[in-house]
């Protein structure tokens, strides 16, 4: 019997790539999204890649009755919860909006999972929970630092909510995946990142500068205590990241978990500086990028990268694509959506 995975926020950047990989791995996927921060582009791309229409429910997970109905209409074996607001700066300006949306939606998912006899729940967390740390790379045991934004705090709070929920209700199992910096696009160039307005993230800003939508990339700070003075991050290819979800879902559905709540870092284990990333982008795509150094961006940590050993050994997952391949895919996607 095919198992069914509900993907909340399945029309977004990460959700769409995860949907493709889950389907390729033999799962039935139900996508639910309120389209508050995306349009139909990625959903249509997913269907084109897979050569079939997938069930799509337009709904808001803050609506408890609608969430419950979803669990009535489908026999859901696992849910992957992406549906959340994700702009750090906006979360500082609009904390109530962020707490309400990100917590309510997750609580409704857990409530529905509980009342419908239990479920496997995968929560989309972030390396942001580690904050600034001197001990690198970070393992899952590295201490979490107090969150520096309401967005980051919702990630920590949802992790804790999931941990406490599985403790109280044994019919619910949980995994939190802590993503480092997801970048790139599907090699088909049919799905990818679609930032709203001026991108906050580095790679969409690079590709938009390269295509002429932005005049110049600002590299925030070249006086950090790193080899070239720019910040270091662990950039993880979006398709590699998506595959980690398939491994995690399968581990839950097959009843292979060692504990009822598990955490995994999803990263490459390889630090890359902003300047290295820019240089790699120029080299692999054969172009010159207009960039300048500007002051540090408030809130940025100097360096963070993953120790992915636990995901490698326990999930049997490993990042495979090189940063060059990923940056080529990001550029192909930018060109595809410019058409
Ligand atoms: N960055 C930059 N210019 C930009 C956007 C980002 O120099 O226009 C840098 C940022 O300072 C950080 C890295 O790129 O060191 C990754 O930033 P991003 O916002 O993509 O992810 P974060 O690590 O903040 O989650």
């Amino acid at each position: 019997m095919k198992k069914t995975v509900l993907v909340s926020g399945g029309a977004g950047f990460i959700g769409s790539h995860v949907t493709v990989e889950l389907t390729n791995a033999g799962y039935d996927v139900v996508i639910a999204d309120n389209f508050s921060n995306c349009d139909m582009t990625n959903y249509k791309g997913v269907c084109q890649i897979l050569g079939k229409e997938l069930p799509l429910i337009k709904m808001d997970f803050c609506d408890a009755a609608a969430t419950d109905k979803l669990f009535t209409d489908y026999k859901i074996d696992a849910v992957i919860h992406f549906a959340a607001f994700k702009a750090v700066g906006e979360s500082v300006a609009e904390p109530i909006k962020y707490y309400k949306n990100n917590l309510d939606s997750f609580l409704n998912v857990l409530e529905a999972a509980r009342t419908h006899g239990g479920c496997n729940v995968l929560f989309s967390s972030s390396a942001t929970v580690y904050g600034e740390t001197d001990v690198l790379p970070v393992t899952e045991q590295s201490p979490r630092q107090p969150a520096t934004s309401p967005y980051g705090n919702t990630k920590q709070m949802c992790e804790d909510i999931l941990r406490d929920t599985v403790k109280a209700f044994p019919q619910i199992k949980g995994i939190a995946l802590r993503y480092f910096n997801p970048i790139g696009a599907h090699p088909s160039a049919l799905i990818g990142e679609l930032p709203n307005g001026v991108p906050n993230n580095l790679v969409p800003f690079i590709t938009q500068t390269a295509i002429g939508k932005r005049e110049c990339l600002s590299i925030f700070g070249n006086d950090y205590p790193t080899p070239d003075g720019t910040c270091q991050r662990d950039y993880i290819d979006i398709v590699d990241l998506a595959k980690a979800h398939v491994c995690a879902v399968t581990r839950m559905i097959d009843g292979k978990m060692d504990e009822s709540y598990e955490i995994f870092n999803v990263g490459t284990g390889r630090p890359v500086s902003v300047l290295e990333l820019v240089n790699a982008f120029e080299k692999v795509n054969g172009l010159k990028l207009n960039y300048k150094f500007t002051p540090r961006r408030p809130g940025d940590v100097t360096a963070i990268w993953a120790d992915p050993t636990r995901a490698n050994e326990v999930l049997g997952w490993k990042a495979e694509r090189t940063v060059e391949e990923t940056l080529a895919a990001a550029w192909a996607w930018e060109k595809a959506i410019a058409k």
Side-chain angles (χ1 to χ4, degrees), residues 88 126 128 151 180-183 199-206 216-221 224 230-235 273-274 277 292 294 296-297 299-302 304:
V88 177
S126 165
T128 189
Y151 161 77
F180 283 69
N181 288 57
I183 61 165
N200 290 311
N201 294 116
L202 179 59
V203 169
F205 208 105
I206 289 177
C216 183
L217 167 74
S218 294
I219 295 184
F220 301 137
Y224 283 98
T230 65
C231 293
Q232 293 171 307
R233 296 287 183 273
D234 186 334
Y235 295 95
S273 75
V274 178
L277 197 85
K292 61 178 183 220
T294 60
R296 294 179 179 193
R297 180 171 71 177
D300 276 342
V301 301
T302 301
I304 185 158

Side-chain angles (χ1 to χ4, degrees), residues 52-122:
K52 63 176 179 187
E53 293 277 308
L54 293 189
L56 170 66
I57 291 94
K58 290 189 187 177
M59 51 120 7
D60 191 333
F61 284 87
C62 290
D63 179 341
T67 307
D68 185 78
K69 185 173 184 306
L70 207 50
F71 281 75
T72 305
D73 293 346
Y74 295 92
K75 198 205 151 297
I76 294 164
D77 298 289
V79 50
I80 307 184
H81 186 65
F82 293 111
F85 293 152
K86 60 174 184 180
V88 177
E90 190 194 22
S91 81
V92 176
E94 299 272 6
I96 300 170
K97 175 178 161 183
Y98 269 67
Y99 284 117
K100 220 177 162 66
N101 184 66
N102 292 7
L103 299 182
D104 275 359
S105 58
F106 193 47
L107 290 168
N108 286 337
V109 165
L110 293 174
E111 183 69 40
R114 183 180 71 84
T115 51
H116 287 266
C119 195
N120 298 296
V121 178
L122 196 166

Side-chain angles (χ1 to χ4, degrees), residues 303-324:
I304 185 158
W305 67 92
D307 178 341
T309 308
R310 184 168 149 77
N312 298 162
E313 290 177 356
V314 178
L315 284 184
W317 167 89
K318 203 171 176 3
E320 282 166 358
R321 296 177 90 191
T322 64
V323 88
E324 286 78 14

